[in-house]
Amino acid sequence: MISSRAQVTEMIAAAKVRKGLKWADVAKEVGLSKEWTTAGCLGQMTFDKKQAEIVGKLFDLPDEAVAWLQIVPYKGSLPTAIPTDPLIYRWYEIVNVYGTTIKELIHEEFGDGIMSAIDFSMDIQRESDPKGDRVHVVLSGKFLPYKTY
Amino acid sequence: MISSRAQVTEMIAAAKVRKGLKWADVAKEVGLSKEWTTAGCLGQMTFDKKQAEIVGKLFDLPDEAVAWLQIVPYKGSLPTAIPTDPLIYRWYEIVNVYGTTIKELIHEEFGDGIMSAIDFSMDIQRESDPKGDRVHVVLSGKFLPYKTY
Amino acid sequence: MISSRAQVTEMIAAAKVRKGLKWADVAKEVGLSKEWTTAGCLGQMTFDKKQAEIVGKLFDLPDEAVAWLQIVPYKGSLPTAIPTDPLIYRWYEIVNVYGTTIKELIHEEFGDGIMSAIDFSMDIQRESDPKGDRVHVVLSGKFLPYKTY
Amino acid sequence: MISSRAQVTEMIAAAKVRKGLKWADVAKEVGLSKEWTTAGCLGQMTFDKKQAEIVGKLFDLPDEAVAWLQIVPYKGSLPTAIPTDPLIYRWYEIVNVYGTTIKELIHEEFGDGIMSAIDFSMDIQRESDPKGDRVHVVLSGKFLPYKTY
Amino acid sequence: MISSRAQVTEMIAAAKVRKGLKWADVAKEVGLSKEWTTAGCLGQMTFDKKQAEIVGKLFDLPDEAVAWLQIVPYKGSLPTAIPTDPLIYRWYEIVNVYGTTIKELIHEEFGDGIMSAIDFSMDIQRESDPKGDRVHVVLSGKFLPYKTY
Amino acid sequence: MISSRAQVTEMIAAAKVRKGLKWADVAKEVGLSKEWTTAGCLGQMTFDKKQAEIVGKLFDLPDEAVAWLQIVPYKGSLPTAIPTDPLIYRWYEIVNVYGTTIKELIHEEFGDGIMSAIDFSMDIQRESDPKGDRVHVVLSGKFLPYKTY
Amino acid sequence: MISSRAQVTEMIAAAKVRKGLKWADVAKEVGLSKEWTTAGCLGQMTFDKKQAEIVGKLFDLPDEAVAWLQIVPYKGSLPTAIPTDPLIYRWYEIVNVYGTTIKELIHEEFGDGIMSAIDFSMDIQRESDPKGDRVHVVLSGKFLPYKTY
Amino acid sequence: MISSRAQVTEMIAAAKVRKGLKWADVAKEVGLSKEWTTAGCLGQMTFDKKQAEIVGKLFDLPDEAVAWLQIVPYKGSLPTAIPTDPLIYRWYEIVNVYGTTIKELIHEEFGDGIMSAIDFSMDIQRESDPKGDRVHVVLSGKFLPYKTY
Amino acid sequence: MISSRAQVTEMIAAAKVRKGLKWADVAKEVGLSKEWTTAGCLGQMTFDKKQAEIVGKLFDLPDEAVAWLQIVPYKGSLPTAIPTDPLIYRWYEIVNVYGTTIKELIHEEFGDGIMSAIDFSMDIQRESDPKGDRVHVVLSGKFLPYKTY
Amino acid sequence: MISSRAQVTEMIAAAKVRKGLKWADVAKEVGLSKEWTTAGCLGQMTFDKKQAEIVGKLFDLPDEAVAWLQIVPYKGSLPTAIPTDPLIYRWYEIVNVYGTTIKELIHEEFGDGIMSAIDFSMDIQRESDPKGDRVHVVLSGKFLPYKTY
């Protein structure tokens, strides 16, 4: 009996290591970006039927798991509010150190509102650099203004 | 008596509103990006003497405050571990929802290590879009590998 | 020296009691709903110049405070993550008890996405009822779908 | 052995995906609103015998589970005090940003007291809008006054 | 400038010690129980005009403070979620140790619902006992049933 | 293997639903108040041999479980420090809103000390009321004075 | 205006350093143990009139402060739930590491109940030891049994 | 497969109840104080080979468990930072109420440093008292001075 | 099915006790420092294929576990944010007590930036000392400067 | 009136910036290591009379402040349990990622016990490195064994 998406995420994690799959390859099969596809496989996005079946085949999932991939999951991928993993913590630190800066600059440009985390996309690339390669990330989120009413 | 950088940040906040300054203009005077300059004015970065004097003049700061701008501050700009402000929260949410995805994809490309939040830059721009303008952010952080020893 | 919006909110709170003003009347003067206007006076929304001047006059605010009303505030009105005030706690309880229900029903109707808290309005009214009057609240938030990319 | 309502909620979650049921249809069978019925199925409300048997049949539950549906559950549906799921978080954010506003306006209209979360109903509907459909929610809670004694 | 009820509570605390007043006597003057009156003086209840003026006179409060006594306060009297004071902690302990028992017995008698903390009264008395006097407390709260809808 | 009282509490919870027992009836069999007996069955009190055997028979417990009922349990019945369940939360709210009031009045009557939560009893009754029945609770705790030494 | 015992504790702390007083000497003047007297001066115990006047004279306190010393304080002397100070932390660690041991042994000897922290005394002495002197502490608390009712 | 000391502690807890053993008797067999022995059985101390074998025999442990008893455990015996169990909480309360007192008196006698929780022993005894027996506890910890360097 | 590195860490922990292995010996077989090797075995570092196979052989791990050893783990080895284990807590205490000192001295020598925890090594040795042997630890982390941009 | 060491630390912080002092120079004047001296100036260590007078002269402190420098402070230098400052966080991360490793290796070498944070010294040096200079830190803490009793 599968009673939560978390169980499916564990199945995917196990199969990925067992079969030596790569997220970039999974994404190609699914036909979407590696960022969205990985987030989906890690239990954060909702697949449509066709996508779910592809994912199911790649990771040898039972039908019940394929059905769960099409259910909107309870989101949030971190075990603690402040992440302990160094790679993820650096992102938390960016939000903590630069949080008020980001806020000031978006408001200066756009006025009161937010940058959407829903109408949003992310692209992560390697950036060659003689002093050591860099992680180059583009975040694009629609600006949503607060309106008076 | 000024006994912490936080007091200087408050002086800057007060002067900015009183004088109607813009971060982009402050940055031009200082000669650096608006992201770094704003973070500095908000108490997260360390100015050198010349930069501090420019900031001091723009915000009518006393000499003691200008001296504090050259002292490395205790960083972290948020009053709570999970930010309540909607704009900043959306960034926390991105880290929470996409955290494991970011981790997987950086490791898939680079192996074990992190994206530096120190050897790091950020660029925030308006991205025109007929369906509603977007906030376009580029983050660039050096990849730092874990090494065996 | 005013260095944060919180100081202006305190001035408004003091003046409101001293002068015996009502939010509904303030809202009429400002020309907006009582919900948005009150949120603005309590430091959660950003006034434009004309609105800020009206608020300033009603609450006898100095010019510096009127300037701060036009600055986007750091939002979040509660002193603790779980509110202790019984009226506000009941709303937290609704989110806690009905949270997964709200999630399920919005997803069943709209698919994956959220109800916006930015493109959002709220209307609070007295609902007459022989068994005891009721608080009748209408919340309206734009549905924002997650999209694949 | 079933020793908590949580186990029954998991059985319902599993069966719902497996059988492709919809909450609206379940509610019709039970003969109550979709909001109350869903909350009940998610372990937040108490069914009477007849309702429990209908739910049991729809979700193929064993007799023991049907008995548990008639037991008042330990309520609270969220795994963390501040919800990580973006849809539910937006509701938490509304409480955080508008909390003091809601408090002020209810007190202005009714005096000291609360809006009940027990003598309470909720109705969630799709609101057509050319700029993008909206989630339209009506909350109705009895006003309960504090009394002197 | 008085900008919060907390300031008035401090004035009352200071005056009570300075003038050596007793809560029971204050209550007699106000004409209500000692429980409600004390809670009001400690910033948890709302006085009407006449009551506020009596309190104001007893504690030598300025007019502005008397006005604040008539404003619904932000409730919650404890500095930490889990109280450190031994007397108050024992009450927290009773809730923690007996919480599920209280829940079970009220539900067994009344069905699903709660005991109101709003339509509520409390009476604290000394109970003579040869083995050591006891604190005898009567709590009376209206039962509020959850209803289907 | 039973390695904690919590396992026995789960067995009792399961048997109670399965067999449709009532706490009041269990208490009559045990020969004690319904409050103490329920707290015992929920893992908060220690039964003597005879009582444990009666409980064991009523709930069909194995011998090992009956032995565990005679072991002093690790007390505390709530899964979170601030309870999410509305019925139990109301009690937490009473402690939070009235905490300083209870403290002041007990000290005014008795001096410095506490109301014991150990030498303590509780009685919960239905109180008929034409405006809606009430939950009437009597708490009785020995006053324990702080002494100088 | 003195509105809390904390202010008096600060006055005592300041005077103690300024005048170079020792707790042991203060205790002798007051006529009680150094443990109880120090706890009282640090805002945890209640002095009677005569004791308060002695303390007031020793620490040059104003009359208002002497009045506050006779008021039962809100207890708890630590700024954080888990103490950061190494000396105090070691005591927290003893509770954490030995907590279940202490529980088991007291129950084995006395049955269900607690060791009182109210009917309690503490004595701290230097214990000479050739391998390094030791802190020798005697804690004595009345055993309070849970009783059936 | 035993992969943590916690599993061994559970085995001991189960066997103790099943076999009706007493800590004092276990300690006699092991040849050490009841305090140290109990702490060891509860997963806080490390047994040597001979001691572990005695414990293993008394509690019918498999060889693998006996091996684990000789491994230094991850210490800390409480499920929450602030203990909910009343007996253990009283000790936490002593640290909270008397924490600064203990600190002041040890420093007054010894200067800056701590009382060790490692080079430490504890002795718990029944103290007969006509007004009710007491728990008499002696704690002895080596004083460790901070030194300059 | 192995679905997380934590399961592999448990297998290693179990095998280490069962087989009586020493970390220093494991490190020699792997050909790296005992610090890095132990961290890897405890689920904090990533092994290459050859290293993983050696570890697998030493701890009798199945192939699937050996594959997981080559996957970058989610790092963080402590069950609570503030460690309860005395040995690890002392390190937390050093960070807490000396944290601002370390910060000041590194900035005084290097300017603004950090000491890397990634380009980092640690060496733990016994330091003979007639007054009692010492733990001698060398930490070496690359200094990473904040740069302007 | 100075009522806590924190006030003295603020005076030192203010004077240090105003006068442009360096910790290394202060340490030379005091005649101790820069690590201990800085910790002392930041409110974590206790100066003797002579040292305090030197510190007082260097930072222009009033006599009352010099007296406070000789009082054992309440230790802990961080505003939050998990530090937000990136430099200090890296040290927390080392404890979190390597915590269990440090524990295992010290126990493997020394048996059960801890590395003292009291009988402890720290030395921070610049380590030249062609690939970028490093922070080289030596920690030396006496091993303190747990003993049986």
Side-chain angles (χ1 to χ4, degrees), chain C residues 17 62 64 76 88 134 136 138:
Chain C
V17 173
E64 210 177 339
I88 302 178
R134 301 177 75 79
H136 181 271
V138 175

Side-chain angles (χ1 to χ4, degrees), chain C residues 1-19:
Chain C
M1 184 185 84
I2 299 178
S3 61
S4 77
R5 177 73 172 270
Q7 290 169 268
V8 181
T9 304
E10 286 189 10
M11 287 176 189
I12 289 176
K16 181 169 184 291
V17 173
R18 207 174 51 235
K19 307 185 67 174

